[in-house]
């Protein structure tokens, strides 16, 4: 879809303009809001991606979750089936760099966790509307996973990633909350 392609380009350009101190400060503000949110507080198992700048920094959130005794599971993409497998991460050394410099769990060193064991899925994206729809990175992995997921979902976003509207398709599934550096947007649930 051309509209999605253009929006991806625009948001990537805006995000690339963030310098490191801004990026860290805004990520910290988002993290502080997240730790106060009831979804985070109630969750004992949290699914989260390993961020890669300029996405909101999730590494600090993973450290905080470990400090709080929470179980962290991170996605392993299965390109053939375009499915996500979530695997428990207990230390950063269980990660390996895969395509595009992304980090994923090493299968031989991690345990697969069933979707129904996950209390909260922090869903990544490039842009978000206040109705909970997101523009992903184009693989469709999360939409496929969320189609059968019953737990809580939220996304983390810099203010510049919040847009008036996102071109949606029938299979798109909105998240229940968006936490940005300026506000918490409750969508439903």
């Amino acid at each position: 879809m051309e509209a999605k392609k253009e929006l991806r380009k625009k948001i990537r350009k805006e995000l690339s303009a963030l310098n490191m101190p801004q990026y860290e400060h805004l990520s910290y503000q988002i993290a502080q809001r997240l730790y106060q949110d009831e979804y985070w507080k109630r969750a004992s198992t949290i699914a989260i991606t390993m961020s890669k700048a300029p996405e909101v920094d999730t590494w600090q959130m993973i450290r905080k979750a470990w400090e709080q005794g929470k179980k962290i599971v991170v996605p392993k993409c299965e390109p053939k089936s375009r499915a996500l497998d979530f695997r428990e991460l207990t230390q950063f050394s269980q990660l390996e760099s895969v395509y595009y410099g992304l980090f994923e769990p090493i299968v031989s060193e991690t345990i697969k966790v069933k979707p129904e064991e996950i209390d909260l899925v922090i869903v990544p994206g490039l842009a978000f509307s206040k109705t909970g729809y997101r523009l992903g990175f184009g693989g469709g992995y999360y939409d496929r996973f969320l189609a059968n997921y019953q737990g809580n979902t939220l996304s983390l976003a810099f203010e510049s990633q919040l847009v008036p509207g996102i071109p949606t398709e029938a299979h798109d599934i909105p998240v229940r909350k968006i936490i940005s550096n300026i506000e918490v947007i409750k969508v439903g649930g």
Side-chain angles (χ1 to χ4, degrees):
M1 242 172 120
E2 199 55 40
K4 283 187 175 183
K5 212 160 107 181
E6 283 306 308
L7 186 54
R8 276 191 189 101
K9 208 159 96 181
K10 178 182 177 287
I11 298 293
R12 278 199 171 107
K13 188 177 178 196
E14 285 178 24
L15 290 176
S16 68
L18 283 176
N19 65 36
M20 196 59 167
Q22 287 172 314
Y23 167 78
E24 284 300 333
H25 179 67
L26 296 175
S27 289
Y28 176 77
Q29 287 180 315
I30 292 167
Q32 294 311 304
R33 284 185 200 284
L34 174 66
Y35 306 148
Q36 298 309 311
D37 191 82
E38 77 258 21
Y39 283 5
W40 174 274
K41 288 179 175 176
R42 288 199 314 250
S44 56
T45 301
I46 298 171
I48 192 167
T49 56
M50 303 308 305
S51 63
K52 181 184 169 197
E55 294 172 88
V56 174
D57 176 16
T58 60
W59 296 67
Q60 61 179 312
M61 296 165 190
I62 293 168
R63 284 187 203 99
K64 177 64 96 178
W66 286 337
E67 283 170 21
Q68 294 179 348
K70 296 179 185 295
K71 182 193 274 191
I72 285 292
V73 297
V74 294
K76 171 84 183 148
C77 295
E78 301 299 341
K80 282 192 178 77
S81 60
R82 289 200 160 215
L84 289 178
D85 271 344
F86 284 94
R87 307 187 73 82
E88 184 177 1
L89 189 73
T90 57
Q91 54 191 32
F92 289 130
S93 63
Q94 295 170 323
L95 296 168
E96 63 183 342
S97 181
V98 289
Y99 47 90
Y100 308 120
L102 296 171
F103 284 96
E104 287 193 347
I106 300 168
V107 172
S108 61
E109 294 183 21
T110 54
I111 299 160
K112 185 175 174 174
V113 174
K114 295 185 194 113
E116 58 270 19
E117 294 172 40
I118 301 170
D119 304 308
L120 171 62
V121 175
I122 297 178
V123 184
L126 258 180
F128 306 89
S129 71
K130 291 194 175 189
T131 52
Y133 285 97
R134 63 186 189 90
L135 179 66
F137 295 89
Y141 287 90
Y142 273 87
D143 286 318
R144 270 186 284 287
F145 177 82
L146 294 173
N148 299 306
Y149 178 70
Q150 304 302 314
N152 289 325
T153 56
L154 66 77
S155 290
L156 309 170
F158 297 120
E159 187 182 359
S160 60
Q161 291 176 283
L162 299 172
V163 296
I166 296 227
T168 57
E169 295 170 54
H171 63 265
D172 292 341
I173 295 165
V175 294
R176 293 184 179 176
K177 252 182 215 177
I178 299 168
I179 297 180
S180 80
N181 50 297
I182 52 162
E183 63 186 325
V184 176
I185 301 160
K186 290 184 176 144
V187 180

